[in-house]
């Protein structure tokens, strides 16, 4: 029996029959040491693949590759479910787990808003921190009848962290620059923006440029507005700011009417956590990571592999 076939037999006895290496050695007429070497060979050559299938499992080798090849301070990668069913919830749970275990706990956590972060907030464990201040980093007051989620998610994260939320009482995008400047000059709003600039860590996601954008749903933009942004090279938005594949603002006039922290603030942050999932967001994830807009990436395995293929 050659070593490859012998490695198959050793693996079968070890994993399927729960035999010890001593027992395998006796059955196959080899030493315990050789049985162990053949088990290692079976894993190295792909004869045996060990997969942890729990939805909160992590892909540690992929995380290490992201850190080493893309210069991230940290990465969390969870398995992508079949057909991406439930992928956003799985990644949101990973983000909640990451925040709950993050040390030192940020005294001031800056948060954006959107569907993904709403899912994160709902999964935060009670008591994940003590006395945390959660500050909203971009406007989120809805302009239509659809209820906004920005204040709710910030308050939820704060309450479960035994702290308090500092909310930004403003829309994300203003119709006129003069209106935006007037709101920014308000003492209450200015104080919130100042706290946002001083946050110890930032938590945000990213949106894509299509008619399902949260900005369209909230009444900030029309469907033809996002079509024009896409025509000009936009691939998505972070904290309400639309960027191209290189991480640059695509519409300076629109950006001037957008209220919240700047891209420069995120790039300069010691801890900027991007939570993102799904094939539709591969392009915007790539832009954010490669342009230095995050230090920590929390995502699914398919998105992570797409990033590594291009690096």
């Amino acid at each position: 029996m050659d070593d490859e076939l012998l490695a198959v037999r050793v693996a079968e006895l070890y994993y399927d029959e729960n035999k010890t290496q001593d027992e395998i050695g006796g059955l196959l007429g080899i030493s315990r040491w050789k049985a162990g070497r053949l088990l290692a060979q079976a894993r190295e050559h792909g004869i045996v693949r060990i997969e942890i299938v729990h939805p909160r499992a992590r892909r540690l080798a992929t995380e290490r590759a992201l850190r080493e090849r893309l210069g991230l301070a940290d990465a969390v990668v969870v398995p992508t479910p079949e057909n991406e069913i439930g992928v956003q919830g799985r990644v949101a749970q990973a983000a909640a787990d990451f925040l709950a275990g993050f040390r030192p706990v940020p005294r001031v956590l800056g948060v954006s808003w959107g569907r993904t972060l709403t899912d994160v907030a709902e999964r935060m464990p009670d008591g994940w921190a003590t006395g945390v201040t959660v500050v909203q980093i971009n406007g989120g007051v809805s302009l239509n009848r659809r209820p906004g989620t920005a204040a709710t998610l910030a308050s939820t994260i704060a309450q479960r962290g035994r702290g308090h939320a500092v909310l930004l009482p403003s829309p994300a995008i203003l119709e006129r620059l003069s209106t935006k400047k007037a709101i920014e000059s308000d003492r209450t709003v200015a104080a919130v923006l100042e706290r946002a600039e001083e946050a110890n860590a930032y938590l945000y996601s990213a949106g894509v440029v299509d008619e399902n954008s949260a900005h369209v749903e909230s009444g900030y933009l029309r469907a033809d507005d996002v079509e024009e942004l896409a025509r000009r090279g936009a691939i998505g938005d972070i904290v309400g700011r639309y960027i191209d594949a290189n991480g640059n603002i695509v519409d300076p006039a629109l950006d001037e009417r957008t209220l919240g922290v700047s891209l420069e603030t995120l790039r300069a942050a010691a801890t900027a956590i991007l939570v993102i999932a799904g094939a539709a967001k591969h392009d915007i994830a790539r832009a954010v990571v490669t342009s230095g807009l995050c230090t920590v990436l929390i995502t699914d395995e398919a998105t992570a592999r797409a990033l590594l293929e291009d690096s």
Side-chain angles (χ1 to χ4, degrees):
M1 192 182 301
D2 61 39
D3 272 4
E4 182 176 356
L5 183 55
L6 194 56
V8 172
R9 296 291 173 260
V10 169
E12 289 169 339
L13 290 167
Y14 187 80
Y15 291 107
D16 290 342
E17 300 298 325
N18 294 315
K19 300 294 185 182
T20 68
Q21 292 181 25
D22 280 331
E23 290 172 328
I24 293 169
L27 288 168
L28 298 179
I30 59 176
S31 68
R32 179 184 185 280
W33 174 84
K34 185 169 185 179
R37 181 175 64 80
L38 288 168
L39 274 175
Q41 179 181 310
R43 290 192 294 269
E44 291 168 1
H45 293 179
I47 296 170
V48 171
R49 292 184 299 176
I50 299 174
E51 182 179 12
I52 302 171
V53 296
H54 192 278
R56 291 167 80 170
R58 290 170 57 174
R59 297 294 189 245
L60 301 183
T62 305
E63 293 176 4
R64 183 169 57 253
L66 287 170
R67 291 193 299 268
E68 293 174 353
R69 291 164 57 180
L70 298 178
L72 294 166
D74 207 350
V76 175
V77 179
V78 295
T80 305
E82 187 175 357
N83 298 322
E84 293 194 341
I85 297 173
V87 65
Q88 180 172 295
R90 186 173 288 193
V91 171
Q93 182 64 65
D97 292 341
F98 177 84
L99 277 175
F102 187 68
R103 295 295 181 273
V105 176
R107 298 187 308 279
V108 180
L109 174 66
V111 300
S112 184
W113 57 274
R115 304 180 192 96
T116 301
L117 291 196
T118 296
D119 282 355
V120 175
E122 292 171 350
R123 288 165 171 78
M124 291 300 298
D126 189 37
W128 73 272
T130 302
V132 66
T133 296
V134 178
V135 59
Q136 192 179 327
I137 62 175
N138 60 315
V141 175
S142 181
L143 299 183
N144 56 25
R145 294 181 181 179
R146 184 183 181 89
T149 61
T152 301
L153 77 87
S155 297
T156 299
I157 295 173
Q159 289 167 3
R160 295 185 183 182
R162 310 290 166 79
H164 70 281
V166 179
L167 304 178
L168 186 56
S170 167
I173 302 171
L174 283 303
E175 190 172 349
R176 295 181 179 84
L177 180 58
S178 59
T179 307
K180 185 243 189 174
K181 289 184 176 180
I183 292 175
E184 279 185 325
S185 66
D186 178 83
R187 184 171 60 182
T188 300
V189 173
V192 176
L193 291 173
E194 185 176 349
R195 293 297 299 274
E197 292 286 343
E198 296 172 352
N200 305 113
Y202 295 94
L203 177 71
Y204 65 96
S205 188
V208 294
V209 186
D210 62 24
E211 68 278 5
N212 297 315
S213 165
H215 287 146
V216 174
E217 290 187 356
S218 298
Y220 300 124
L221 299 173
R222 300 184 304 271
D224 57 344
D225 293 326
V226 294
E227 287 179 8
E228 175 62 16
L229 286 166
R231 190 188 66 78
R232 297 175 65 168
I235 57 170
D237 79 281
I238 54 171
V239 296
R241 303 184 185 277
Y242 285 85
I243 62 173
D244 62 17
N246 296 315
N248 300 316
I249 297 295
V250 297
D251 187 339
L254 175 65
D255 195 65
E256 285 186 347
R257 295 188 282 110
T258 302
L259 198 144
V261 298
S262 66
L263 299 187
E264 288 69 28
T265 295
L266 295 180
R267 285 195 175 99
T271 304
I273 306 164
L274 173 68
V275 185
I276 194 164
K281 295 189 175 182
H282 286 181
D283 288 344
I284 183 65
R286 185 179 299 108
V288 172
V289 172
T290 58
S291 64
L293 284 164
C294 71
T295 64
V296 178
L297 173 65
I298 302 177
T299 192
D300 63 288
E301 188 174 14
T303 302
R305 291 192 179 280
L307 295 177
L308 290 169
E309 286 173 3
D310 295 334
S311 66

